[in-house]
Amino acid sequence: SRYYREVLPGEIVKISRHDVQTLDVVRRPEGDPSAFCIFEYVYFARPDSIFEGQMVYSVRRRCGQQLAIEAPVEADLVSTVPESATPAALGYAEKCGLPYVEVLCKNRYVGRTFIQPNMRLRQLGVAKKFGVLSDNFKGKRVVIIDDSIVRGNTISPIIKLLRESGAREVHIRVASPPIRFPCYMGINIPTKEELIANRPEFHDLANYIGADSVVYLSVEGLVSSVQESIKARRDSNPKTQKSLLGKLGHCTACLTGDYPVELEW
């Protein structure tokens, strides 16, 4: 029978017609923990991807549950901007005991707004991107779970749309911490000045984007949501090759400014 697993950080694998061999696992200098990009779990990866032995969907659901513990709110229903934050929204709703209800439906013919070249196109993109399921939320207090707010100009028109269509209150809960720092490890994060978390508007973000409240998941909450089941599995399985896996670690540089390598300019 064939056995598939992830290639470990720093692992050198030789694949031949006869077999697959691990030649070596190159440790990080001074035994530092590995630094797997935590934003893969939050945003980049497909929900059915499996990293470090766990499904991305399950991690996102746990992030939503953790967000409900950290930032509950008096509301009537929980929803999301379809559909990258759906697992987190389901986790939040489950933990709060509120119904998960769809408030927007997606137009399948428009690409992601994050990568549109300028703000006007991004905002136009939002208007074309969603239809409103107004019967589902008229007169209700709505919690919208988003996976991340990068610039703040994509969520704004969505909140406006929901209010114009009858939402009584719109509360935003973000299932990741604010992005504050550039990534030098290959992800094209907008410049520091463009990131909403570094702008003066961030101090009154709810007012700036037109929401009744905005709360982000804490860095500790994200890390625990990601690491919880990895730790449990390691601790419960005596066969785990701890020597192969090395110390558990994730890169949170874009959230904390704590880079896993020394930056050379």
Side-chain angles (χ1 to χ4, degrees):
S1 70
R2 292 175 187 273
Y3 169 65
Y4 295 98
R5 66 160 172 81
E6 296 167 79
V7 176
L8 300 167
E11 183 179 10
I12 301 166
V13 178
K14 178 188 173 190
I15 301 172
S16 72
R17 146 177 39 163
H18 310 294
D19 62 1
V20 178
Q21 287 177 306
T22 294
L23 299 184
D24 195 7
V25 177
V26 180
R27 293 263 168 262
R28 289 202 59 216
E30 289 145 35
D32 288 346
S34 62
F36 184 88
C37 170
I38 210 157
F39 233 69
E40 287 282 2
Y41 284 110
V42 169
Y43 186 87
F44 298 120
R46 273 173 39 160
D48 60 340
S49 304
I50 293 178
F51 297 138
E52 303 177 295
Q54 59 184 345
M55 193 174 279
V56 168
Y57 186 101
S58 307
V59 172
R60 289 177 183 167
R61 190 170 192 140
R62 280 203 299 277
C63 286
Q65 292 169 333
Q66 179 62 26
L67 188 56
I69 294 166
E70 291 182 12
V73 62
E74 288 284 316
D76 302 304
L77 61 98
V78 175
S79 196
T80 184
V81 181
E83 58 244 348
S84 54
T86 301
L90 288 164
Y92 189 97
E94 184 182 27
K95 199 77 176 169
C96 286
L98 290 170
Y100 171 80
V101 178
E102 292 181 328
V103 297
L104 297 165
C105 62
K106 201 168 183 182
N107 173 355
R108 299 273 166 217
Y109 308 103
V110 181
R112 290 209 80 160
T113 50
F114 180 73
I115 54 172
Q116 294 290 351
N118 64 47
M119 183 169 159
R120 176 153 168 72
L121 277 177
R122 279 195 292 274
Q123 291 186 324
L124 275 174
V126 167
K128 286 189 302 189
K129 204 170 168 176
F130 298 109
V132 186
L133 304 171
S134 50
D135 282 3
N136 291 357
F137 62 87
K138 236 176 226 162
K140 303 261 177 73
R141 298 166 300 174
V142 181
V143 185
I144 295 288
I145 309 296
D146 207 348
D147 52 6
S148 59
I149 296 180
V150 179
R151 292 183 180 89
N153 52 24
T154 303
I155 194 77
S156 240
I158 287 167
I159 296 167
K160 191 163 176 272
L161 198 58
L162 294 174
R163 286 200 192 282
E164 285 168 357
S165 306
R168 182 147 64 93
E169 291 175 13
V170 182
H171 298 273
I172 304 296
R173 294 293 177 270
V174 190
S176 65
I179 300 177
R180 298 175 186 275
F181 300 92
C183 174
Y184 300 109
M185 274 68 72
I187 300 300
N188 186 18
I189 284 177
T191 61
K192 221 168 175 178
E193 295 68 41
E194 277 185 277
L195 295 168
I196 190 70
N198 295 329
R199 297 176 67 86
E201 295 89 344
F202 189 68
H203 300 298
D204 188 8
L205 185 56
N207 186 42
Y208 178 66
I209 64 174
D212 289 277
S213 70
V214 183
V215 187
Y216 284 79
L217 183 62
S218 67
V219 175
E220 301 71 33
L222 173 60
V223 171
S224 70
S225 300
V226 167
Q227 294 186 354
E228 184 187 307
S229 84
I230 305 173
K231 284 178 175 166
R233 205 171 47 256
R234 280 189 178 192
D235 295 344
S236 67
N237 184 1
K239 290 184 189 158
T240 307
Q241 293 170 289
K242 289 191 180 168
S243 60
L244 252 189
L245 292 168
K247 288 188 213 157
L248 185 59
H250 291 87
C251 179
T252 60
C254 61
L255 315 172
T256 60
D258 183 9
Y259 293 92
V261 290
E262 195 110 346
L263 299 174
E264 292 175 14
W265 302 105

